[in-house]
Amino acid sequence: MAYYYDEPSHTFSEYLLVPGYSDSNCIPSKVSLKTPLVKFKKGEEPKISMNIPLVSAIMQSVSNDTMAIALAKEGGVSFIYGSQPIERQADMVRKVKSYKAGFVTSDANIKPDATLNDVISLKEKYGHSTIAVTDDGTAKGKLVGIVTSRDYRVTRMTGDELVSSFMTPFDKLICAKEGTSLAEANDIIWENKLNALPIIDKDNHLVAFVFRKDYEQHKSNPDELLDAHKRYIVGAGINTRDYETRVPALVEAGVDVLCIDSSEGYSEWQSRTIKWIRDKYGDSVKVGAGNIVDAEGFNFLAEAGADFIKIGIGGGSICITRETKGIGRGQATAVIEVAKARDEYFKKTGIYVPICSDGGIVHDYHVTLALAMGADFCMLGRYFSRFDESPTQKVFVNGSYMKEYWGEGSARARNWQRYDMGGAQKLSFVEGVDSYVPYAGPLHDNLALTLSKVKSTMCNCGALTIPELQEKAKLTLVSSVSIVEGGAHDVLVKDAKNHN
């Protein structure tokens, strides 16, 4: 006879935090969101910790090198998607590890014989107002000029004008030579009242840009996540099929942490993958595993040697695993049970294995709930896909700007490697959808708002750290009527767009 759970599984939206006592010291500016990313022994420090409890999902539509750099600047980690050729993924890792803070490789470039319409298209695609004009239209071509929004007026031009006719030409630009330090570059920017400073080599080929806004952002961003060599920390997704060739390539590229990307992690395939990594690299290569939804799954992967364990099956906004296969569990219930198993495992072995809540985050406060329930950090897909830094196109749909977003189990992703069934490489049905999400702008501004909400709620609970939140939090289930009562009701909201 099948085993039946006594209680139904619950989602985050079915819970609320009950406020606790807050003393005068409990203010958001004093809250620390530091959290372990990988396992550690009692009395020791983890090899990798994060300054914020958020990582971006292992998805084509979310995590590439651009997202990885942006999130590391904020104190989190991106896991660059693995559903791509090995060398391309390794190349993305190299770009993150070789990125020099403040020096930005130009991704919006154009030839001088292109037109204003081409400039407008580039601006819409990348969201940048500064576009480099190079002889071959590449990021490393010979710099011949720059186009900014000050160089043209769309209403007074036809769109067919050549870039060369309205760009700011090279001889009127202020540039700096390759080898200029970031401090020197920023001095040039301030002395000449520039918004952007091109860095060129001895042959006038474009090397990078230094932007005034990046300097200001750097000063206001003390949480950037760096390794021992002052390089940004980056993760990468792997599967249980080609790990013998993919893992060495990623390690050689400098990856800091790996994660097995699978729809269901309680399997022999995952334990084989972890064992191969341990046999070849020992504990020097960090690898997370998952996804699981109960204590049995956690204990299996912890014993297999996982450095962190992901929780969640079917809770993602683009995941339809529950609809197609009827498996999964409410995310809140899954996190609560696995957190108990994690704590019991720590008491028994002295080894703390961090757990990651993956999926089911709809509102910002769900992050705080997941942490209070025991998660060490959360993996988000839809949330990060909305930002400028995600790798997808910004498109205009029904009068609003949107970003494309699709699941790794969708026909578009064709990422069948994450379904550990052995045998055939392709499945006969999909477990994810292809969709749009509302465009939200730059990651930095949005993330700052989310984290301020998390910190404020922690203070309401009398907690200044995540472990303290987990110790002090009081959680209550709410009825369907209570959920309605919790939002705006019995009024006509003036600005629905800002109501969340």
Side-chain angles (χ1 to χ4, degrees):
M1 180 178 174
Y3 176 82
Y4 290 88
Y5 288 90
D6 293 331
E7 296 291 331
S9 64
H10 297 285
T11 67
F12 292 131
S13 289
E14 295 176 81
Y15 284 91
L16 287 175
L17 284 156
V18 176
Y21 172 70
S22 303
D23 61 28
S24 60
N25 192 51
C26 203
I27 56 177
S29 61
K30 293 186 178 182
V31 171
S32 168
L33 295 177
K34 189 170 183 178
T35 193
L37 177 60
V38 297
K39 68 182 179 183
F40 58 94
K41 292 181 180 178
K42 187 176 183 179
E44 297 181 356
E45 288 294 315
K47 294 295 183 183
I48 306 174
S49 291
M50 298 186 294
N51 293 323
I52 63 171
L54 300 178
V55 299
S56 66
I58 310 169
M59 300 175 69
Q60 295 172 10
S61 55
V62 179
S63 298
N64 64 350
D65 51 298
T66 306
M67 177 62 72
I69 291 168
L71 189 50
K73 286 180 179 179
E74 305 295 335
V77 173
S78 274
F79 286 86
I80 292 175
Y81 68 93
S83 52
Q84 61 176 317
I86 293 171
E87 190 50 42
R88 189 191 301 166
Q89 187 187 22
D91 208 38
M92 287 186 180
V93 170
R94 287 189 199 94
K95 286 180 180 178
V96 179
K97 300 307 289 186
S98 63
Y99 180 85
K100 294 174 68 176
F103 292 87
V104 181
T105 300
S106 178
D107 56 6
N109 309 284
I110 204 164
K111 290 183 179 181
D113 59 358
T115 67
L116 174 60
N117 286 330
D118 297 323
V119 169
I120 294 170
S121 295
L122 267 184
K123 185 178 178 181
E124 288 180 354
K125 180 178 180 180
Y126 292 104
H128 305 326
S129 59
T130 300
I131 296 174
V133 185
T134 59
D135 60 347
D136 59 3
T138 70
K140 299 300 180 182
K142 192 170 185 177
L143 185 65
V144 297
I146 287 179
V147 172
T148 72
S149 55
R150 293 178 298 180
D151 292 315
Y152 58 87
R153 292 184 68 178
V154 175
T155 56
R156 296 190 179 184
M157 301 170 75
T158 66
D160 296 324
E161 293 85 355
L162 296 180
V163 169
S164 57
S165 69
F166 60 86
M167 70 182 186
T168 301
F170 180 80
D171 58 8
K172 292 186 178 180
L173 295 175
I174 296 173
C175 301
K177 290 292 184 181
E178 189 175 18
T180 300
S181 71
L182 184 57
E184 291 169 337
N186 283 313
D187 286 342
I188 295 171
I189 286 174
W190 285 96
E191 289 167 6
N192 294 278
K193 299 180 180 179
L194 304 175
N195 287 322
L197 175 69
I199 308 296
I200 56 175
D201 66 13
K202 58 183 177 61
D203 297 317
N204 294 343
H205 287 90
L206 183 62
V207 175
F209 276 107
V210 178
F211 292 97
R212 175 189 291 262
K213 63 178 177 61
D214 287 345
Y215 171 82
E216 294 168 349
Q217 182 173 309
H218 176 71
K219 287 298 182 182
S220 64
N221 233 352
D223 291 328
E224 59 184 359
L225 198 60
L226 305 171
D227 66 16
H229 303 287
K230 304 297 183 183
R231 301 173 302 179
Y232 287 128
I233 286 178
V234 61
I238 61 173
N239 60 66
T240 59
R241 298 183 187 273
D242 65 8
Y243 56 86
E244 293 185 11
T245 50
R246 189 174 293 271
V247 171
L250 294 171
V251 171
E252 189 275 331
V255 74
D256 296 282
V257 58
L258 303 169
C259 184
I260 303 172
D261 179 29
S262 173
S263 65
E264 206 281 297
Y266 190 4
S267 74
E268 180 182 347
W269 313 109
Q270 293 225 355
S271 61
R272 284 185 186 181
T273 303
I274 297 170
K275 182 179 186 304
W276 184 89
I277 291 172
R278 293 289 174 252
D279 289 346
K280 185 172 178 63
Y281 298 102
D283 288 328
S284 65
V285 171
K286 305 302 180 184
V287 56
N291 285 17
I292 50 87
V293 291
D294 62 7
E296 283 184 25
F298 171 86
N299 288 321
F300 173 79
L301 291 177
E303 288 297 325
D307 284 291
F308 67 86
I309 294 170
K310 286 204 294 136
I311 308 162
I313 295 175
S317 60
I318 39 66
C319 184
I320 55 172
T321 294
R322 297 180 193 174
E323 289 182 27
T324 57
K325 296 170 70 175
I327 65 167
R329 199 176 195 189
Q331 189 68 5
T333 300
V335 170
I336 291 168
E337 179 177 323
V338 174
K340 289 179 181 176
R342 186 265 323 277
D343 293 344
E344 290 171 4
Y345 188 84
F346 180 52
K347 288 179 183 177
K348 182 174 70 173
T349 66
I351 298 173
Y352 188 92
V353 183
I355 56 175
C356 167
S357 177
D358 177 17
I361 302 293
V362 180
H363 304 291
D364 288 344
Y365 80 90
H366 288 171
V367 172
T368 320
L369 282 173
L371 297 174
M373 290 171 180
D376 295 283
F377 55 98
C378 297
M379 177 172 277
L380 307 177
R382 180 194 61 85
Y383 177 87
F384 287 114
S385 71
R386 303 172 301 144
F387 303 145
D388 288 325
E389 294 82 359
S390 76
T392 62
Q393 299 283 342
K394 184 173 74 172
V395 295
F396 202 60
V397 180
N398 296 330
S400 299
Y401 279 109
M402 311 289 282
K403 291 275 279 187
E404 295 178 303
Y405 180 48
W406 60 90
E408 287 299 291
S410 67
R412 180 170 183 173
R414 304 188 66 79
N415 184 15
W416 313 130
Q417 291 89 345
R418 71 194 304 271
Y419 299 94
D420 301 318
M421 298 297 178
Q425 295 279 326
K426 183 178 179 180
L427 296 186
S428 56
F429 57 90
V430 298
E431 294 188 41
V433 300
D434 197 343
S435 64
Y436 297 110
V437 291
Y439 167 67
L443 179 147
H444 175 75
D445 297 343
N446 287 276
L447 188 58
L449 178 60
T450 296
L451 295 178
S452 70
K453 292 179 184 178
V454 172
K455 291 179 179 181
S456 180
T457 305
M458 287 173 64
C459 287
N460 292 144
C461 297
L464 292 175
T465 65
I466 293 172
E468 192 176 7
L469 173 67
Q470 292 167 349
E471 179 185 335
K472 293 183 175 181
K474 295 180 290 183
L475 291 149
T476 180
L477 271 168
V478 294
S479 68
S480 59
V481 179
S482 296
I483 294 172
V484 174
E485 179 187 64
H489 58 90
D490 302 312
V491 295
L492 179 63
V493 179
K494 290 182 179 180
D495 189 358
K497 289 189 295 184
N498 293 329
H499 173 61
N500 184 1

